[in-house]
Amino acid sequence: MKLNVLLLTLVVLFSLLGCSQGSSLRKKFYKNTCSRAEDIVKEETEKHVAANPKLPAKLLRMHFHDCFVRGCDGSVLLNSTTKTAEKDAIPNLSLSGFDAIDAIKEKVEEVCPGVVSCADILALAARDSVSIQFNQPMWEVLTGRRDGRVSLITEALLNLPAPFANFTQLEQSFESKGLNVHDLVVLSGGHTIGVGHCSLFSNRLYNFTGKGDQDPTLDARYAESLKSKCPQNDRTTTVEMDPNSSLKFDSNYYSNLLQNKGLFQSDAALLTNKIARKKAVNLVDQTDFFTEFRQSMKRMGAIEVLTGTAGEIRTKCWKVNS
């Protein structure tokens, strides 16, 4: 009898250990409840990108910011009348693309009311927007996420990696989400598209150690170029994170990084760790980058997801159901 109980305990234990994060997600989750869900998201996303070519970078960043706070539950989409939601946190004030997600959700609701989560729509739209230039999906998005009901400004401040973080801080941030150094280096490659505000890296140009100095690890000519675009104390101007290639998803980010042309301190931090630096060298090869990005995005998209009966399916992405 004791042996049977022990064996049963071991079976349950190994089953739990074998369950990966987000294991409740699956391919074509809406196949029987909203068969056109993923097609509608793709079609509508393509329309929005055609009108705004900068949207892929915006949606990719939004998806990342969503997953790193309370998991991929669409909580970053929620509004707050008291300005205390995630989107009201300083790191999220520059997020945009919410209108596109709301519009895509409306189209899905017209066909399948109350079925498809905003969390899934954001995950799919981020993938579909980046994939347009390749005419094929760049990574697999498993579905079945449900929407969270809580969105707190304090949690965004605590959980989002800062652009001025050092390597240890970045590593700890990713580890807390079940991701590793490999994922850190790979997902940083998302900086190959989009822009960054001058205020987020101006200390590297004008006051790196508090003595009016420049970050010595930043390529000198690149620094002069940035200074010509970002006057001291400029809080509104943006520059390309991947110079001359901010609309093209490629591996150019790593080539620039290895030339000490990473825009943020958090980019440069990758070169301070031997393992991370070696991975960056390998990812210069675009085929390798795409392969690894595909896997890391799948892992990120499964962070702390709500499934089953947890959470809800919002009818509007910007507010919880009444």
Side-chain angles (χ1 to χ4, degrees):
M1 179 67 177
K2 289 183 178 179
L3 180 60
N4 289 339
V5 172
L6 177 60
L7 289 172
L8 180 60
T9 302
L10 288 172
V11 168
V12 172
L13 176 61
F14 284 121
S15 295
L16 289 172
L17 289 173
C19 288
S20 61
Q21 195 173 41
S23 59
S24 296
L25 302 179
R26 62 177 187 267
K27 294 180 183 180
K28 305 293 182 183
F29 179 84
Y30 301 105
K31 181 179 179 181
N32 298 321
T33 55
C34 186
S35 61
R36 291 208 66 246
E38 294 189 23
D39 291 333
I40 295 171
V41 173
K42 182 175 181 290
E43 291 163 7
E44 294 303 312
T45 298
E46 289 175 348
K47 292 178 185 176
H48 284 279
V49 173
N52 180 8
K54 296 180 180 179
L55 191 59
K58 298 175 185 297
L59 295 184
L60 183 61
R61 181 170 180 242
M62 188 190 297
H63 182 36
F64 180 93
H65 282 223
D66 182 40
C67 291
F68 264 66
V69 184
R70 286 189 165 262
C72 312
D73 68 344
S75 53
V76 74
L77 304 171
L78 289 170
N79 289 346
S80 167
T81 55
T82 56
K83 300 297 181 184
T84 55
E86 288 173 32
K87 64 167 59 172
D88 299 304
I90 290 175
N92 286 335
L93 293 178
S94 57
L95 288 181
S96 58
F98 295 107
D99 54 342
I101 296 298
D102 289 338
I104 295 168
K105 172 65 171 175
E106 285 183 15
K107 290 294 183 179
V108 174
E109 284 292 302
E110 289 174 6
V111 179
C112 308
V115 175
V116 183
S117 71
C118 296
D120 274 343
I121 288 174
L122 175 53
L124 289 165
R127 188 271 310 275
D128 293 340
S129 63
V130 172
S131 300
I132 287 175
Q133 74 176 80
F134 303 99
N135 294 313
Q136 63 179 356
M138 287 301 288
W139 63 90
E140 182 180 55
V141 175
L142 302 181
T143 44
R145 299 168 188 77
R146 287 172 65 84
D147 298 321
R149 297 189 180 99
V150 178
S151 184
L152 300 172
I153 187 173
T154 52
E155 293 186 344
L157 292 170
L158 285 172
N159 287 279
L160 291 173
F164 42 80
N166 61 36
F167 185 81
T168 300
Q169 293 168 328
L170 291 170
E171 184 178 25
Q172 291 173 344
S173 176
F174 274 67
E175 282 184 350
S176 72
K177 303 304 172 185
L179 302 175
N180 56 30
V181 170
H182 177 78
D183 297 310
L184 164 60
V185 180
V186 172
L187 293 175
S188 293
H191 286 177
T192 189
I193 52 175
V195 298
H197 281 80
C198 294
S199 57
L200 297 179
F201 58 85
S202 62
N203 68 309
R204 301 187 74 198
L205 303 176
Y206 299 108
N207 198 26
F208 189 60
T209 65
K211 299 177 181 178
D213 55 342
Q214 184 175 295
D215 182 349
T217 68
L218 187 62
D219 178 82
R221 291 182 66 181
Y222 181 49
E224 289 306 312
S225 173
L226 291 174
K227 285 180 178 178
S228 70
K229 300 168 185 173
C230 298
Q232 210 162 356
N233 301 317
D234 185 321
R235 306 193 66 81
T236 57
T237 303
T238 61
V239 299
E240 294 178 298
M241 291 190 288
D242 187 355
N244 305 314
S245 183
S246 65
L247 295 179
K248 184 180 179 184
F249 193 83
D250 54 28
S251 63
N252 204 47
Y253 165 82
Y254 298 102
S255 298
N256 286 329
L257 179 65
L258 293 166
Q259 296 174 52
N260 296 313
K261 296 178 181 178
L263 187 63
F264 303 119
Q265 201 168 331
S266 57
D267 293 318
L270 300 181
L271 301 182
T272 65
N273 176 272
K274 186 187 241 181
I275 295 174
R277 186 186 186 98
K278 184 176 180 180
K279 291 185 184 298
V281 170
N282 294 336
L283 293 171
V284 170
D285 182 286
Q286 188 156 283
T287 300
D288 287 349
F289 171 52
F290 288 171
T291 298
E292 299 305 329
F293 194 80
R294 186 175 297 121
Q295 297 304 317
S296 289
M297 282 300 296
K298 190 173 179 180
R299 284 191 287 273
M300 189 191 81
I303 294 175
E304 300 167 21
V305 293
L306 301 176
T307 58
T309 58
E312 65 182 11
I313 303 297
R314 289 184 221 139
T315 55
K316 293 186 183 296
C317 291
W318 54 271
K319 68 174 184 175
V320 297
N321 297 337
S322 57

